Amino acid sequence: MPSIILEIKNQIGYISLNRPEKYNAFNREMALELQACLDECASNEYVRCILITGMGKAFCAGQDLGEVTGEQPATFDKILVEHYNPIITRIRNLLKPIVCAVNGVAAGAGANIALCCDIVVAHESASFIQAFSKIGLIPDSGGTYFLPRLIGFQKASALMMLGDKISATEAAQMGMIYKVFSETEYADALMKITTTLAQMPTLAFGLTKKALNHTFENNLEQQLQLEDKLQYAAAHTDDYQEGVSAFIEKRNPNFKGK
Ligand code: LHQ
């Protein structure tokens, strides 16, 4: 079985982390496969929304610790530079909406890969652990970038040092994730979110991601200039024409993602 499953249907790329017996912990093969699947979703014009989730009970337990403790452990340098950093930059630079559905525990790099996605939702049984301190490491995979920006410096700092297990409900309450769904709501909610996104103006989403990717570095003037440039691009899409026409004609828009 592949350690990552990619299924494309109804204009949605479904990416499933698939090492359930290891709680979907990442080894090198799996990290490279995830990068390849993200590339496929980026270049495949049919795909207009991506959903990342985990098979089995867990979402992802981060690095497969067996891989870093064996006879020929992968070097740390290689792991960040070749495995996790390219995953995070791909997710942020992929100009389509990426939903992460956290189905169970998300620990270490697994938590931080989830947190860099555009919309993070969770099953009520999910949890988030900055597990790094428990094994003497620092948070990586963008954790020190995204978590303080999501929940504030103080809470991020505490979670990173204490390695507390945060429930999905707490995560939603502190702004770490978008929403948590009960077992009965979960499947329908995922379907609704992804189907809606896949029918919306895809190019405008890509431009929105570009704007959001710079929001924490730019000053107001720079961000206003960036919005101006990106809005100009959005205004030259077919979907903008369609959106305005549909409004004037009092009908639902039929966006094509072009
Ligand atoms: C695992 C793992 C795992 C292998 C569960 N590996 N098997 C970057 C730079 C370089 C090196 C290191 O890493 C990084 C990035 C990182 O991600 S560092 C953080 C690495 N991850 C962790 O430290 C988390 C380790 N796992 C846990 O703390 C627990 O397993 C959690 C809290 C995720 C789940 O706890 P439980 O629900 O009690 O499940 P469990 O511990 O019984 O695990 C279930 C199975 O999954 C078990 O296998 P077994 O054969 O005994 O049933 C675990 O060995 C396996 N597993 N995480 N990371």
Side-chain angles (χ1 to χ4, degrees):
M1 282 299 280
S3 49
I4 301 285
I5 299 169
L6 170 62
E7 193 187 355
I8 296 175
K9 62 174 184 207
N10 301 329
Q11 299 191 289
I12 300 160
Y14 295 91
I15 295 179
S16 301
L17 313 182
N18 188 36
R19 298 183 76 217
E21 72 290 352
K22 297 277 180 196
Y23 271 27
N24 298 320
F26 274 96
N27 59 13
R28 178 173 174 80
E29 182 196 351
M30 180 170 159
L32 299 182
E33 274 181 35
L34 178 56
Q35 291 172 26
C37 289
L38 289 166
D39 288 346
E40 165 64 21
C41 289
S43 61
N44 186 332
E45 283 187 19
Y46 178 71
V47 174
R48 292 173 63 189
C49 173
I50 294 134
L51 178 80
I52 303 178
T53 194
M55 297 296 279
K57 199 175 155 195
F59 171 69
C60 175
Q63 171 64 35
D64 184 335
L65 295 175
E67 193 180 53
V68 286
T69 50
E71 291 214 333
Q72 286 181 312
T75 69
F76 273 42
D77 243 21
K78 217 171 173 181
I79 288 178
L80 291 192
V81 174
E82 295 184 11
H83 300 186
Y84 298 113
N85 295 357
I87 291 172
I88 304 301
T89 49
R90 271 170 173 79
I91 290 173
R92 290 314 316 153
N93 294 333
L94 205 160
L95 299 179
K96 299 173 186 178
I98 304 182
V99 179
C100 184
V102 182
N103 53 297
V105 65
N112 292 338
I113 287 171
L115 297 181
C116 84
C117 292
D118 298 306
I119 300 178
V120 189
V121 295
H123 185 275
E124 60 186 340
S125 68
S127 56
F128 297 81
I129 313 173
Q130 294 293 317
F132 307 88
S133 61
K134 297 192 171 169
I135 56 167
L137 291 181
I138 72 146
D140 58 31
S141 304
T144 59
Y145 183 91
F146 292 104
L147 196 58
R149 286 166 166 83
L150 289 167
I151 63 171
F153 187 94
Q154 175 58 217
K155 278 192 178 141
S157 170
L159 294 190
M160 288 172 182
M161 291 185 181
L162 295 170
D164 293 336
K165 184 176 188 173
I166 298 297
S167 72
T169 303
E170 285 175 284
Q173 278 164 356
M174 62 173 74
M176 192 192 294
I177 65 170
Y178 176 51
K179 278 185 182 175
V180 52
F181 296 110
S182 67
E183 167 65 24
T184 47
E185 300 166 318
Y186 188 69
D188 284 350
L190 292 189
M191 173 77 86
K192 194 170 167 203
I193 292 171
T194 51
T195 308
T196 302
L197 291 171
Q199 292 170 0
M200 289 181 74
T202 315
L203 295 178
F205 284 151
L207 297 167
T208 303
K209 283 185 78 161
K210 280 191 179 177
L212 286 173
N213 283 344
H214 288 91
T215 187
F216 294 113
E217 286 75 41
N218 277 347
N219 62 30
L220 177 59
E221 196 177 329
Q222 291 164 329
Q223 194 67 13
L224 289 175
Q225 278 172 11
L226 179 62
E227 286 179 3
D228 180 38
K229 191 177 116 201
L230 298 173
Q231 193 66 293
Y232 184 82
H236 285 81
T237 62
D238 293 351
D239 283 343
Y240 168 65
Q241 296 294 333
E242 168 61 9
V244 175
S245 302
F247 177 78
I248 305 278
E249 293 160 19
K250 298 191 186 300
R251 60 174 173 81
N252 289 327
N254 181 14
F255 293 123
K256 298 278 190 338
K258 293 193 162 119

